[in-house]
Amino acid sequence: MRRVKGLANGLRSGPWSEHKFTNQVEYSPYDTEIYRITKESERLLDKEEEILYRTYKPHPESFHPANQEQIQKIINNVPAHYLTGLKGIFLCGGSKKQLMCNKFCFASYNDFYKVIYLFPFPKTMCLHYKNKPKPSICIEYERHGARWIEERNSWILKFDKKSIQSFYLKDVLFHELGHHVENQFHNIKHKNDEQRERFADWFAIEHGLKNHVK
């Protein structure tokens, strides 16, 4: 799961999803929405032979960096064997509680229902950090055109429409698809979260960035 640290309460790790930089607490507004919208589509997910796409209206303070048509166009160019078993790609609506959560979540993958969830991004086009992340993390955003701005005793990660769209389509989407590929075709029984995240990061670079999928 693509997440970054913020300033409020933490997120709960679930047994059915891939998480990045998580901690154990009782409540996650991200997991709550995933559960709700998956239950709404459960019968369709069981029946559909092709990938089910659903788009939910974003929270008033958020927007979808990439739309369903753009995502479908990219997925249609992905080698078919990587999509084996993938049931759905949902553009979630988000919520105020998600925006206030201390670990902003870009996306998640549910390995039981085999669905990728993409969460909307704040309309401010910014994420706030107490401390600037290590260089390897900074590069993940900078290569799409995002900028770091130092402000008093904190840091702001600033996107524009082009850079946030590139990040979602070439990195976030392929990162979660990487989790699906590993769950479908690799033996992950003895892999820890860090190892699974490394594979998803590698998959995003190899198939989202290097191939320059449009």
Side-chain angles (χ1 to χ4, degrees):
M1 175 180 282
R2 278 287 191 180
R3 285 181 170 151
V4 296
K5 285 190 177 181
L7 302 174
N9 292 326
L11 294 173
R12 175 174 57 82
S13 291
W16 42 263
S17 62
E18 297 294 341
H19 289 255
K20 186 171 187 178
F21 304 129
T22 59
N23 57 358
Q24 298 286 337
V25 296
E26 294 182 356
Y27 175 74
S28 163
Y30 293 104
D31 291 344
T32 299
E33 182 180 17
I34 286 173
Y35 179 81
R36 176 177 57 78
I37 65 178
T38 304
K39 285 298 180 183
E40 291 175 1
S41 303
E42 191 169 8
R43 291 185 180 179
L44 286 174
L45 289 169
D46 288 339
K47 292 180 180 179
E48 288 285 338
E49 293 184 4
E50 298 184 350
I51 297 171
L52 175 66
Y53 291 88
R54 299 206 69 172
T55 299
Y56 292 84
K57 183 178 179 179
H59 181 272
E61 296 178 30
S62 303
F63 74 104
H64 294 304
N67 60 40
Q68 184 174 310
E69 182 180 357
Q70 292 170 318
I71 292 168
Q72 282 184 270
K73 184 178 179 180
I74 283 180
I75 291 298
N76 288 341
N77 284 289
V78 171
H81 62 280
Y82 288 142
L83 305 176
T84 300
L86 185 64
K87 291 291 187 177
I89 299 177
F90 292 178
L91 279 72
C92 303
S95 68
K96 184 68 173 181
K97 289 182 178 179
Q98 289 177 12
L99 290 171
M100 295 174 65
C101 205
N102 91 311
K103 291 183 180 178
F104 181 78
C105 181
F106 295 102
S108 182
Y109 169 70
N110 181 312
D111 65 10
F112 180 78
Y113 287 103
K114 297 177 174 56
V115 174
I116 291 172
Y117 306 84
L118 301 174
F119 292 100
F121 195 73
K123 284 184 176 179
T124 60
M125 307 291 279
C126 295
L127 293 177
H128 296 264
Y129 292 74
K130 287 184 177 179
N131 300 297
K132 191 176 182 181
K134 61 185 180 179
S136 61
I137 299 297
C138 292
I139 290 172
E140 290 186 17
Y141 307 114
E142 292 168 354
R143 63 192 174 202
H144 295 278
R147 297 180 296 113
W148 291 96
I149 302 170
E150 188 173 7
E151 187 177 88
R152 295 182 182 178
N153 295 320
S154 63
W155 287 85
I156 298 173
L157 177 61
K158 178 70 174 177
F159 289 89
D160 58 21
K161 288 187 177 180
K162 183 178 180 180
S163 59
I164 192 60
Q165 184 178 96
S166 174
F167 181 62
Y168 265 73
L169 290 176
K170 296 180 182 179
D171 192 313
V172 174
L173 177 61
F174 279 89
H175 179 98
E176 301 307 327
L177 182 58
H179 282 310
H180 172 72
V181 169
E182 187 171 39
N183 273 277
Q184 286 290 100
F185 303 112
H186 297 185
N187 183 2
I188 64 170
K189 188 179 297 184
H190 302 296
K191 288 189 176 183
N192 57 36
D193 288 347
E194 185 178 348
Q195 291 172 318
R196 290 195 289 270
E197 290 301 327
R198 282 203 300 268
F199 178 86
D201 286 340
W202 170 84
F203 190 90
I205 291 171
E206 289 294 316
H207 299 280
L209 285 168
K210 287 188 178 180
N211 288 339
H212 301 288
V213 179
K214 303 294 183 182

